[in-house]
Amino acid sequence: MEPEYARQYRDLYTRHWWWRSREEAILEVLHRHFPSNAGLRILDVGCGDGLFFDRLAEFGQVEGVEPDERLVDPDSRHRPRIQIAPFDANFHSTECYSLILMLDVLEHLDDPGAALRHAFSLLKPTGALLLTVPAFQLLWTNHDVVNQHRVRYRRRTLRPLLRQAGFAILEERYWYQWTCPAKLAIRLVERVFRRPPAVARVPPAWMNRPLYWISRMEQQTLGAIGTPFGSSLMVYCAKQGAP
């Protein structure tokens, strides 16, 4: 992650319409599969400063792993539950997890298949993985450059990685359909005018709040009926044979 982006990440996560609407959509997915107070053991991969921990605590005990030390406040109350380390074969746990989240993580990795296989090895036999990734290479913009993405996925490129790692896909949905034409327009402008990459900013309130509600309504309508496109892809899966 670019240094400037790392410095602004907390503000973006807590206020920006995209992060706010994604968090609510993820919680809806979890509520479909788990009751509150389910007593899960949860690992949030790429957890940053543990900004999602309080909401996830509804489902059980939460811990995280974050490779970028700049994103973790050493004085945070969540710091004792966050390991600063890459998510690879060197990351171990004394107990298996019930649920692993990889929220917009996979697109940063040089070997996503290895990360998925490692996640599989850390899960209980009935464990589940929930992940999100940016979708469709056609929508690549300077935002992907700033975020140091390797690739944008789609169902047909992500499914083989998950299945080769041993996962059974139980639910998959594209989100943020409305942003696709906007991203295509941005891509065109960036190419024509050769605009340099720039870090995202939180829009003013008069714009930020409506964009949040547009995104939430779309997630519950177009996203729910399986619209085959969107700028983000969510997949919920379990170990092969798990209920």
Side-chain angles (χ1 to χ4, degrees):
M1 185 178 289
E2 296 284 348
E4 178 66 18
Y5 198 10
R7 285 191 290 271
Q8 296 191 32
Y9 186 76
R10 173 179 283 273
D11 187 51
L12 287 168
Y13 187 92
T14 56
R15 297 175 53 218
H16 194 283
W17 60 267
W18 187 88
W19 275 268
R20 297 293 81 229
S21 58
R22 186 194 66 167
E23 181 178 284
E24 293 302 325
I26 290 164
L27 289 169
E28 286 182 348
V29 175
L30 294 178
H31 278 294
R32 285 197 291 272
H33 295 278
F34 301 104
S36 298
N37 302 314
L40 306 179
R41 186 162 186 253
I42 304 169
L43 177 66
D44 186 0
V45 178
C47 65
D49 202 21
L51 299 174
F52 200 10
F53 280 17
D54 289 339
R55 303 294 301 274
L56 291 173
E58 174 185 353
F59 300 94
Q61 175 188 342
V62 188
E63 58 190 88
V65 55
E66 173 53 58
D68 192 339
E69 188 174 9
R70 296 168 301 175
L71 296 181
V72 182
D73 181 355
D75 298 321
S76 167
R77 61 190 175 88
H78 297 308
R79 179 64 185 86
R81 291 183 285 139
I82 300 173
Q83 291 193 49
I84 306 294
F87 185 69
D88 56 24
N90 296 313
F91 175 83
H92 298 289
S93 176
T94 55
E95 297 181 49
C96 289
Y97 297 98
S98 314
L99 172 67
I100 293 178
L101 295 101
M102 300 180 74
L103 306 178
D104 288 272
V105 168
L106 212 61
E107 65 275 11
H108 296 275
L109 305 180
D110 292 323
D111 192 348
L116 292 173
R117 291 190 296 272
H118 190 50
F120 185 92
S121 72
L122 294 171
L123 284 169
K124 295 179 178 179
T126 57
L129 170 70
L130 191 157
L131 61 86
T132 58
V133 289
F136 291 97
Q137 198 67 21
L138 183 63
L139 302 180
W140 184 277
T141 65
N142 282 342
H143 181 73
D144 297 282
V145 177
V146 170
N147 279 273
Q148 298 180 351
H149 292 170
R150 271 57 170 178
V151 67
R152 297 181 69 94
Y153 289 90
R154 56 193 304 179
R155 285 174 178 170
R156 73 180 187 185
T157 57
L158 186 56
R159 284 170 179 168
L161 291 174
L162 289 165
R163 289 169 178 159
Q164 288 163 15
F167 287 104
I169 297 170
L170 305 182
E171 182 178 348
E172 54 184 1
R173 297 185 180 189
Y174 284 111
W175 289 335
Y176 300 107
Q177 285 82 10
W178 75 267
T179 65
C180 292
K183 278 187 167 291
L184 288 172
I186 290 169
R187 177 183 170 121
L188 177 62
V189 169
E190 289 174 348
R191 287 196 170 191
V192 171
F193 295 100
R194 300 184 182 276
R195 290 188 174 178
V199 176
R201 296 287 188 273
V202 178
W206 63 266
M207 181 186 300
N208 198 48
R209 196 63 182 169
L211 292 179
Y212 166 83
W213 284 114
I214 290 169
S215 299
R216 291 294 296 125
M217 287 187 289
E218 188 182 69
Q219 286 160 353
Q220 295 169 340
T221 54
L222 293 179
I225 64 174
T227 304
F229 68 93
S231 64
S232 185
L233 172 61
M234 180 283 299
V235 181
Y236 177 88
C237 48
K239 284 195 168 186
Q240 293 282 8

